[in-house]
Amino acid sequence: MKQKLLLTLAVSGLCLSASAQQVKFTEYDLDNGLHVILHQDKTAPVVAVSVMYHVGSKDEDPKRTGFAHFFEHLLFEGSENMKRGDFMKLVSSNGGQNNANTSQDRTFYFETFPSNQLELGLWLESERMLHPKIDEVGVKIQNEVVKEEKRMRIDNSPYSKFAENIFSHLFEGHPYSWQPIGSMEHLDAAKLDEFLAFFKKYYAPNNAVLTIAGDIDVAKTKTLVAKYFNEIPKGVPVVKPSFTLKPVNKQIVDTVYDANIQIPAIFAAYRVPGMKSRDNKVLEMISTLLSGGGSSRLSTKMVDDKKTALQVSAFNYTLEDYGAYITLALPNNNTPLNDLLADIDAEVLRVQTDLISESEFKKLQNQFENGFVSANSKMIGVAENLANGYTFQNKNTNSINEELKEIQSISREEIRDVARKYLKKDGRVVLYYLPKK
């Protein structure tokens, strides 16, 4: 059976001739520090309500990993004014959908509703923030839920431990060295008081962004936001610690055995700058050049021409403090893993040595323009991108409109120079991912 990795950089190769449309928004702060962003779009009677908390696995005690992801689940338990299990029932019974996700840097909760249910969405998120149900019963229930998720997504899923093994080397000395799913032993050992303290510290309005996007009346929405969120008390300011990592000055080689796979894989990962860096955008362009679609350099060379790889990819795993630039390949016809790595390295060296052609450069710009439009085609996408800008780009919400312009300002020479700067063999982790017999 052909097994594929799910973690790939998916950037469409369609060409757009029109300029990407600007995203208009209104933003302001409540007295309790909650930052509010409103985006009006009346093209469809839909509204997205979201809250992004600036807390992820990076903020955890090394002896209590998994807390941020655990709260992604725990805060659906209900509240003082909502019975346990009613949160999702209220959403679905009123025509909505909801979900949440956690990364190393933030936790994102959202609902999409018919626009006449905006007030319900605001009430639900205010209940989550003001007085959620955090008790022994809920902790026990969600502990089992998280364990089952870990069994499905990590323990019994093919290739699922590559990030865990790469990051432990690449980010040694930083909280990025563990994954958001965390340790089940840590969660089992935690007391209720520890969960309550974690909530009080990180889930306050002054550590959050409320973003509402869709078919709204801005003035009425401001009134509703004040109605449901003004009473929530401000928390103690969150001070983020800084971490200085030692440079990776030699190639680190490791091997992982996975009983869930039949086809091996080879990974090479490099530590690169975080979200705020312009170089991060350049690395995204390099990823697209190498593996963004069937006509990309790696796919053409290794999948189509030489037929040595079933799948090959390069992607920029972007985080707030740092990032990981990762290349990978799965062999076809029993091709040795070192041959795959050599072919990938040859294409990386080509980027480092020669300027990409004008036609490739134009294609990249078209791909990123199309990606911008696609990312903002749904209201929840707009909401998340607006929140990301404020949270991770020095409170610059308008970065949603500046990103494409920044991408278009990147030169061919910059692509070559950034590849030279970061994609060095003596500063990477090589991971052999092998079937376990």
Side-chain angles (χ1 to χ4, degrees), residues 105-118:
D105 302 302
R106 93 292 181 271
T107 307
F108 186 62
Y109 299 89
F110 63 89
E111 297 83 39
T112 56
F113 279 112
S115 52
N116 60 1
Q117 295 297 331
L118 168 62

Side-chain angles (χ1 to χ4, degrees), residues 75-107:
L75 295 188
F76 281 101
E77 276 292 299
S79 72
E80 292 181 9
N81 298 314
M82 194 189 320
K83 292 181 181 179
R84 193 183 310 279
D86 276 3
F87 192 107
M88 295 185 184
K89 292 179 182 177
L90 284 168
V91 174
S92 60
S93 64
N94 286 278
Q97 296 178 324
N98 67 276
N99 213 329
N101 53 69
T102 308
S103 76
Q104 286 85 347
D105 302 302
R106 93 292 181 271
T107 307

Side-chain angles (χ1 to χ4, degrees), residues 67-354:
F67 264 46
H69 173 257
F70 191 83
F71 267 89
E72 175 196 320
H73 294 267
L74 189 61
L75 295 188
F76 281 101
E77 276 292 299
S79 72
E80 292 181 9
N81 298 314
M82 194 189 320
K83 292 181 181 179
R84 193 183 310 279
D86 276 3
F87 192 107
M88 295 185 184
K89 292 179 182 177
L90 284 168
V91 174
S92 60
S93 64
N94 286 278
Q97 296 178 324
N98 67 276
N99 213 329
N101 53 69
T102 308
S103 76
Q104 286 85 347
D105 302 302
R106 93 292 181 271
T107 307
F108 186 62
Y109 299 89
F110 63 89
E111 297 83 39
T112 56
F113 279 112
S115 52
N116 60 1
Q117 295 297 331
L118 168 62
E119 187 167 2
L120 174 60
L122 293 173
W123 177 75
L124 289 170
E125 288 302 334
S126 67
E127 285 291 298
R128 195 199 306 270
M129 188 182 293
L130 179 58
H131 39 219
K133 193 183 294 292
I134 302 175
D135 56 21
E136 295 283 6
V137 175
V139 167
K140 184 177 181 180
I141 291 172
Q142 296 307 324
N143 202 353
E144 293 304 314
V145 171
V146 171
K147 287 179 180 178
E148 180 60 22
E149 180 181 351
K150 183 176 183 294
R151 283 189 286 267
M152 292 177 62
R153 288 181 45 217
I154 307 297
D155 299 340
N156 298 312
S157 181
Y159 309 102
S160 59
K161 294 184 179 180
F162 81 90
E164 173 185 330
N165 288 276
I166 288 174
F167 281 32
S168 65
H169 293 297
L170 211 56
F171 301 117
E172 184 179 1
H174 190 287
Y176 288 165
S177 60
W178 63 80
Q179 293 297 294
I181 195 73
S183 163
M184 300 304 100
E185 290 77 12
H186 292 175
L187 293 176
D188 287 341
K191 305 299 182 184
L192 181 61
D193 288 347
E194 295 176 85
F195 290 107
L196 291 168
F198 193 83
F199 175 81
K200 183 177 180 181
K201 181 175 182 179
Y202 292 111
Y203 296 83
N206 49 302
N207 196 45
V209 177
L210 169 67
T211 307
I212 305 161
D215 182 18
I216 61 171
D217 179 284
V218 172
K220 290 180 180 179
T221 302
K222 286 184 175 181
T223 301
L224 290 174
V225 169
K227 175 181 177 181
Y228 289 107
F229 289 91
N230 272 350
E231 66 175 304
I232 303 175
K234 186 175 185 177
V236 175
V238 175
V239 179
K240 298 277 185 177
S242 59
F243 300 89
T244 302
L245 298 185
K246 296 178 182 179
V248 181
N249 292 322
K250 64 178 181 179
Q251 179 170 277
I252 301 169
V253 180
D254 198 3
T255 303
V256 172
Y257 295 92
D258 187 343
N260 300 305
I261 67 171
Q262 297 177 353
I263 300 172
I266 183 80
F267 294 82
Y270 310 78
R271 187 195 299 162
V272 295
M275 295 179 183
K276 295 183 180 68
S277 170
R278 176 182 172 91
D279 288 349
N280 173 64
K281 305 294 190 302
V282 182
L283 287 161
E284 290 180 7
M285 293 193 79
I286 295 172
S287 297
T288 307
L289 172 70
L290 291 175
S291 68
S295 61
S296 60
R297 288 186 174 187
L298 289 176
S299 293
T300 299
K301 176 179 182 178
M302 299 171 66
V303 178
D304 297 338
D305 295 343
K306 298 181 72 173
K307 294 181 172 54
T308 54
L310 289 173
Q311 182 179 357
V312 60
S313 183
F315 60 94
N316 195 28
Y317 196 127
T318 306
L319 298 168
E320 183 175 14
D321 297 350
Y322 295 95
Y325 191 90
I326 301 174
T327 63
L328 62 100
L330 276 67
N332 187 31
N333 297 324
N334 296 314
T335 302
L337 295 181
N338 286 334
D339 289 0
L340 297 179
L341 183 60
D343 277 343
I344 294 173
D345 286 344
E347 288 305 312
V348 170
L349 179 61
R350 185 179 159 205
V351 179
Q352 294 170 327
T353 306
D354 304 324

